[in-house]
Amino acid sequence: MAAIGPQVCLAVRQIKKFFGDQTVLRDVSFSLPEGEILGLIGPNGAGKTTLFNIISGWQKPASGRVVFFGQETTTWRPERLSRAGLARTFQVPQIFPEMTALENVLMGAWLRGEPHPSLKQAHTEAGYCLSLVGLADKRHIQARDLPLPQQRLVELARALATGPRLLLLDEIAAGFSQSALQRLTAGLLKLRDQGLTLLLTDHLFSLLEAVADRVLALDRGEIIAQGPPATLINHPEVVSAYLGTRCGSDAEGDA
């Protein structure tokens, strides 16, 4: 009997997106098996954040389909996707600046599943998620008073508190020190080992080299290469795109 492979967590099929007369995504298709870390690279304007927005329900494609664990979610709103087990972070952290770090993460823990957990359970989960990202000692500090890299970690902890099956990370490591990057790398690998599926984009290719099972290269809205990180470093089209010879321009300033 043939071995049964991993379940497909996410399937993206022929996604197209336009802003005015500009084509931002062109027939983008890929699959992400459960338990894998998939990296997404590309120059500024390649369409990476737009693709994240479509997968997570913040934008709708002009055509194509998004399937999450076998169920089409192309038209779902972000809150419905969150309840189904999809969480994300943003290039610019979307936090509540007047709330403490713990209160921010509590918002995610409170939304976890149905019925909602008790306040005590939510506090326990929020504290645990802050510990996972190394911010246990910052729990009572207002989010606005934390440096930007730590605000990113608060947003990551809040996403984890929702109990996701798929986590999208958009430039999570921006501004991190080398020691913080090492801790993040170890943390992402631990999450993968615990069964979480991750899709991440970052300009720090060293992070993707360390954690990603596969990498997709996106340029001008098209997938131009894919494979293990080591094979993409010297891929001619990828090198060309990063040198700017094929650099596109996303109408949203997508990075």
Side-chain angles (χ1 to χ4, degrees):
M1 182 180 294
I4 298 175
Q7 182 179 7
V8 174
C9 169
L10 178 71
V12 172
R13 295 290 179 260
Q14 297 182 306
I15 291 294
K16 291 183 180 179
K17 180 66 177 178
F18 307 96
F19 291 135
D21 59 358
Q22 183 179 10
T23 303
V24 180
L25 295 172
R26 307 166 187 264
D27 293 318
V28 172
S29 297
F30 65 90
S31 295
L32 174 55
E34 186 176 19
E36 184 175 285
I37 298 180
L38 179 63
L40 180 65
I41 64 171
N44 290 339
K48 301 185 300 296
T49 292
T50 300
L51 181 58
F52 268 40
N53 288 342
I54 289 172
I55 293 170
S56 57
W58 291 89
Q59 293 178 352
K60 305 306 176 191
S63 62
R65 301 168 64 233
V66 178
V67 180
F68 183 51
F69 281 106
Q71 188 165 13
E72 183 169 355
T73 59
T74 315
T75 62
W76 287 19
R77 295 177 59 84
E79 58 269 24
R80 185 179 178 188
L81 280 161
S82 177
R83 290 194 298 270
L86 188 152
R88 71 166 294 182
T89 66
F90 295 82
Q91 282 190 33
V92 179
Q94 303 298 303
I95 57 175
F96 300 98
E98 303 296 329
M99 291 183 176
T100 66
L102 179 63
E103 289 167 341
N104 268 272
V105 182
L106 269 171
M107 297 296 289
W110 180 250
L111 293 174
R112 184 174 186 160
E114 294 288 351
H116 295 308
S118 68
L119 185 58
K120 181 179 180 180
Q121 290 173 321
H123 265 279
T124 299
E125 184 63 28
Y128 172 70
C129 290
L130 278 175
S131 297
L132 281 179
V133 301
L135 293 182
D137 60 338
K138 309 291 185 181
R139 64 177 60 203
H140 298 307
I141 297 178
Q142 281 188 313
R144 67 181 180 185
D145 294 329
L146 294 171
L148 185 57
Q150 291 186 357
Q151 290 182 16
R152 296 185 188 280
L153 291 176
V154 168
E155 188 179 46
L156 172 57
R158 187 178 63 199
L160 292 172
T162 66
R165 303 175 72 187
L166 170 63
L167 179 60
L168 277 58
L169 302 178
D170 194 350
E171 300 289 345
I172 186 65
F176 276 38
S177 66
Q178 189 60 39
S179 59
L181 183 60
Q182 290 174 350
R183 291 192 295 272
L184 176 65
T185 298
L188 295 181
L189 290 172
K190 182 178 180 180
L191 291 171
R192 191 269 310 276
D193 291 343
Q194 293 174 346
L196 183 61
T197 308
L198 294 100
L199 173 61
L200 69 154
T201 180
D202 211 287
H203 283 297
L204 286 174
F205 194 77
S206 59
L207 173 63
L208 300 181
E209 279 188 293
V211 304
D213 299 292
R214 291 186 298 128
V215 174
L216 302 178
L218 193 68
D219 183 35
R220 297 198 298 185
E222 296 180 284
I223 295 176
I224 59 172
Q226 59 182 298
T231 67
L232 265 67
I233 296 177
N234 298 312
H235 191 285
E237 284 193 84
V238 175
V239 173
S240 175
Y242 269 101
L243 289 175
T245 56
R246 289 191 59 206
C247 191
S249 58
D250 192 323
E252 292 189 325
D254 174 20

